Amino acid sequence: MNRPPAFVRKLDLDRGVVELAHGGGGKATAQLVAEVFAPHLDDAELRQADDAALLDLGPGKLVVSTDAFVVSPLFFPGGDIGHLAVHGSVNDIAMRGAKPRHLTASFILEEGLPLSTLSQIARSLASAARQCGISLVAADTKVTERGKADGVFITTTGLGLLPPGRPSPSGSLARPGDAVLVSGPVGDHGLAVLCARGGLSALTGVTSDTAPLHDLVDALFAADPRIHTLRDLTRGGLAAALNEIAHQSCVGMHIDEQGIPLRREVRAASELLGVDPLNAACEGRLVCICAHEASSPLLAAMRSHPAGAAASLIGHVTDDPRHRVVLTTPAGGRRTLLWPTADDLPRIC
Ligand code: MG
């Protein structure tokens, strides 16, 4: 095993900041890794400090996903960028039916970032990974000059295994007549970040739902494997996810607006900020499209799992050749749920 190099002076984790030299690849980089990251992220494969991790994944198909995290602010009620960086990749792996196994992470740090902030983020990332039962097996750190990044950006790659014999859900497999289920209230994460950005967290009381979904997915497959599509409701929220799936599968959808779970405080914050909560991201919710006959067992499985306690059947898939997602409003009217525009809610994750 590698012995960490001995440094003349320890980093001051309370008052120190990231310096350009910490990204130089020399002694300062080694010290940053040893004293800020290693106390939290200490997987045997990572400790080897080789150029790449050698992994034995066993039987099953490899599932890979990568995601960058640029959320602002870095900390918000319910979590921080470290939690998001784990949950985002874990959930994308889980949406293909796979069990997450390993994670890699790349950290872009801005010169001047307090070491105490970085240390807190490393701790959150490590605790989220532990909770998911996955290990961080490879990582990299780079530093930009002051003003060239915003505190810290993290990119993670998740590696998972599709259990042999399990059909992998896909956005292209929704069929007319399928049921559309959502695992819980929507919009929490997006509104929590917007409220934190505007100094409104205490007023609105909105908390991010950031959480891993792989265990819920396992429970769903155990209940009924006739799952056609799974998608986590991240950027663009429920509106983006349903429109993406409708186009991928060349189908339409009918959704009953009243069936969509929405927390009272999220609804109030949405009205305050002029945001449609159906366009706002979640980080711990999924939409599940399944054979009509599987909807009852899957809804029951969701509701008996802590990550899906407030799950709801919200509609069904149609054969609309224009791939529209049509909402029936509480008053009985109809409107098309549009694909959110790109710059609606920037830097939410
Ligand atoms: Mg996703």
Side-chain angles (χ1 to χ4, degrees), residues 92 95 231-232 234:
D92 280 341
M95 294 308 106
R231 186 144 297 178
D232 54 344
T234 54

Short mmCIF file of all heavy atoms in Angstrom, two decimals, residues 92 95 231-232 234, ligand 1:
data_model
loop_
_atom_site.label_atom_id
_atom_site.label_comp_id
_atom_site.label_asym_id
_atom_site.label_seq_id
_atom_site.Cartn_x
_atom_site.Cartn_y
_atom_site.Cartn_z
N ASP A 92 -29.45 7.58 -12.10
CA ASP A 92 -29.43 7.31 -13.54
C ASP A 92 -29.12 5.83 -13.82
O ASP A 92 -29.69 5.24 -14.74
CB ASP A 92 -28.43 8.23 -14.24
CG ASP A 92 -29.00 9.61 -14.48
OD1 ASP A 92 -30.25 9.76 -14.44
OD2 ASP A 92 -28.23 10.56 -14.72
N MET A 95 -32.23 3.79 -13.08
CA MET A 95 -33.32 3.94 -14.05
C MET A 95 -33.22 2.94 -15.20
O MET A 95 -34.19 2.71 -15.91
CB MET A 95 -33.38 5.37 -14.61
CG MET A 95 -33.74 6.44 -13.59
SD MET A 95 -35.23 6.11 -12.64
CE MET A 95 -34.55 5.66 -11.05
N ARG A 231 -37.74 6.78 -15.18
CA ARG A 231 -36.93 7.99 -15.38
C ARG A 231 -36.99 8.83 -14.12
O ARG A 231 -38.07 9.03 -13.54
CB ARG A 231 -37.44 8.81 -16.58
CG ARG A 231 -36.51 9.98 -16.90
CD ARG A 231 -36.40 10.26 -18.36
NE ARG A 231 -35.81 9.15 -19.09
CZ ARG A 231 -35.64 9.14 -20.42
NH1 ARG A 231 -36.01 10.16 -21.14
NH2 ARG A 231 -35.10 8.10 -21.01
N ASP A 232 -35.80 9.30 -13.66
CA ASP A 232 -35.81 10.19 -12.50
C ASP A 232 -36.14 11.60 -12.98
O ASP A 232 -35.76 12.00 -14.08
CB ASP A 232 -34.50 10.11 -11.69
CG ASP A 232 -33.27 10.37 -12.52
OD1 ASP A 232 -33.34 10.31 -13.76
OD2 ASP A 232 -32.21 10.64 -11.93
N THR A 234 -35.31 14.77 -12.92
CA THR A 234 -34.31 15.80 -12.62
C THR A 234 -34.61 17.06 -13.42
O THR A 234 -35.77 17.47 -13.50
CB THR A 234 -32.89 15.24 -12.84
OG1 THR A 234 -32.82 14.72 -14.15
CG2 THR A 234 -32.60 14.12 -11.85
MG MG B 1 -31.90 10.77 -15.27
#
